[in-house]
Amino acid sequence: MTIRWGLIGASTIAKQYMIDAIRAQADGEVVSVMSSSADRAASYAKENHITKGVDSLDALLSSGVDAVYISTTNELHLEQAVAAARAGKHVMCEKPLALTSADARKILTACKEAGVVLGTNHHLRNAGAHRAMREAIAAGRIGKPVAARVFHSVYLPAHLQGWRITKPEAGGGVVLDITVHDADTLRFVLGDDPTEITAITQSSGMASGGLEDGAMCLWRFKSGVIAQSHEGFTTKFAGTGFEVHGTEGSLFAKDVMTQNPIGTVTLRTEKGDEELNFDREGLYVRSLRAFHAAIRGQGQPAATGEDGVWSLASAEAALQSAKSGKAVAINPGL
Ligand code: NDP
């Protein structure tokens, strides 16, 4: 049986990755797209070969879909996800799930009450590189993990220099955009949960309206691991990476904080350096495959609603810390 998808939001990410990822599934079909503008809905539908373009949530939810993919701006996710759940649709929602973790928990509750699957589109835990690191750590190959470093400061391309850097009310800013991903990837790779964060942020010239376009965070995890992460919109040549250092070895991943299945992972121990092999499946394709399986009762989405609450609670704590200048406890309230 085909799983019929409706897209809530005529977005860049849907056009660049998610429509193809749905169509890459043997049982996936995109049947409709919703935009707030009827003209944009029609042109987006035509350009992406989608049968229906509609300009209201009701029309989208009654267009014969089984699941929705929400990729509107962040302030709209809550209302749209709750409405979709109440209409009996499975929900794959973009990160951050909402503007606050309390609102994200409302989405979780609505999906549970409706008995529909909720996934958070944290693509990075679908990367072969991050799965190879997680497996190496779980297998004890670096001994006891001690510390991690995440390098995730990029340059926001011109076509995305809109609401992310100008609109606080839409959930702009680098923390809600990228720190959420780092929270999720750290949790996934380490198999551990953060307890506390200290953050400083900057507005280095690109963002306006009081929004931050750079952040540095210090994290403490339940196991005692400490981590640092750097998120940014304004560094053209920084490159990305992820390192985990343990008592018996270190993992160095390069070019892995990205949307594509690229990069390398090196394990360094007393024996020397070893390149880890990993699969190069598309991150979003794998994310959708797990979501389809979850709809059929087989397993869970790659990142669940609870994972989305954790990442947002972490980002929320980072923003509070940047404001207060103090360490802030991370409490997802689950
Ligand atoms: P876009 O800015 O491309 O789209 C967001 C909304 O802006 C759309 O829903 C659309 O509104 C409106 N919009 C887009 N293009 C235009 C245009 N040319 N003219 C007028 N309005 C336009 O956002 P992104 O795709 O970058 O991000 C969407 C969501 O996805 C966010 O929640 C973001 O955090 C998340 N995201 C996640 C990624 C991941 O890898 N997991 C990567 C990138 C984004 P309407 O629908 O009303 O037409």
Side-chain angles (χ1 to χ4, degrees):
M1 220 185 69
T2 302
I3 294 173
R4 293 160 300 172
W5 283 85
L7 310 181
I8 300 180
S11 70
T12 308
I13 178 70
K15 187 162 53 185
Q16 281 186 333
Y17 289 99
M18 291 299 282
I19 294 171
D20 286 350
I22 292 168
R23 289 178 175 153
Q25 311 301 319
D27 55 356
E29 188 189 346
V30 183
V31 301
S32 52
V33 59
M34 186 210 99
S35 163
S36 55
S37 134
D39 284 351
R40 255 182 73 68
S43 61
Y44 193 97
K46 190 171 176 212
E47 188 188 338
N48 295 289
H49 312 289
I50 300 168
T51 316
K52 267 185 215 162
V54 299
D55 66 355
S56 80
L57 192 54
D58 282 347
L60 188 284
L61 295 175
S62 52
S63 65
V65 298
D66 307 302
V68 297
Y69 167 58
I70 299 175
S71 63
T72 46
T73 48
N74 303 330
E75 84 285 14
L76 300 173
H77 297 175
L78 168 66
E79 184 196 335
Q80 293 166 340
V82 169
R86 288 184 182 156
K89 315 300 177 191
H90 302 288
V91 178
M92 172 62 101
C93 187
E94 270 305 342
K95 42 51 67 171
L97 285 182
L99 297 188
T100 66
S101 56
D103 281 351
R105 287 194 297 273
K106 290 181 193 159
I107 298 178
L108 217 65
T109 303
C111 288
K112 278 200 177 129
E113 282 174 1
V116 297
V117 175
L118 170 63
T120 310
N121 206 27
H122 279 306
H123 61 295
L124 288 165
R125 56 167 67 207
N126 292 285
H130 295 298
R131 284 182 288 123
M133 292 176 84
R134 176 182 162 96
E135 282 159 22
I137 292 167
R141 299 196 72 189
I142 63 165
K144 183 178 170 332
V146 173
R149 302 176 189 154
V150 182
F151 308 92
H152 200 170
S153 181
V154 297
Y155 188 76
L156 193 64
H159 69 278
L160 293 182
Q161 290 180 22
W163 60 271
R164 273 183 183 75
I165 53 166
T166 55
K167 288 197 176 165
E169 67 279 13
V174 78
V175 171
L176 285 181
D177 200 49
I178 303 185
T179 308
V180 283
H181 278 313
D182 293 348
D184 187 66
T185 313
L186 279 161
R187 285 184 66 237
F188 177 74
V189 169
L190 296 170
D192 199 354
D193 290 326
T195 56
E196 183 186 280
I197 193 163
T198 306
I200 57 170
T201 58
Q202 67 184 163
S203 188
S204 68
M206 184 187 276
S208 57
L211 286 172
E212 76 291 344
D213 55 26
M216 288 206 180
C217 304
L218 297 175
W219 309 69
R220 191 181 294 282
F221 282 77
K222 275 185 188 147
S223 66
V225 165
I226 55 174
Q228 63 186 51
S229 67
H230 177 199
E231 296 86 21
F233 284 153
T234 62
T235 55
K236 284 188 178 152
F237 305 105
T240 71
F242 197 117
E243 299 175 359
V244 185
H245 305 283
T247 51
E248 311 296 329
S250 285
L251 287 161
F252 298 88
K254 271 198 177 159
D255 302 327
V256 295
M257 305 308 285
T258 163
Q259 295 176 293
N260 299 311
I262 58 170
T264 56
V265 181
T266 306
L267 170 65
R268 181 170 300 157
T269 64
E270 270 178 357
K271 291 183 196 149
D273 283 4
E274 179 191 338
E275 289 286 307
L276 300 189
N277 288 320
F278 52 86
D279 76 64
R280 303 277 171 174
E281 184 175 14
L283 282 57
Y284 300 93
V285 172
R286 188 176 182 280
S287 167
L288 255 294
R289 184 151 48 76
F291 195 83
H292 275 207
I295 290 176
R296 299 192 187 294
Q298 295 148 10
Q300 289 194 319
T304 61
E306 284 83 356
D307 292 320
V309 173
W310 263 105
S311 64
L312 180 50
S314 305
E316 205 170 43
L319 287 171
Q320 283 165 14
S321 170
K323 221 174 177 178
S324 68
K326 294 186 175 141
V328 174
I330 296 172
N331 178 7
L334 291 169

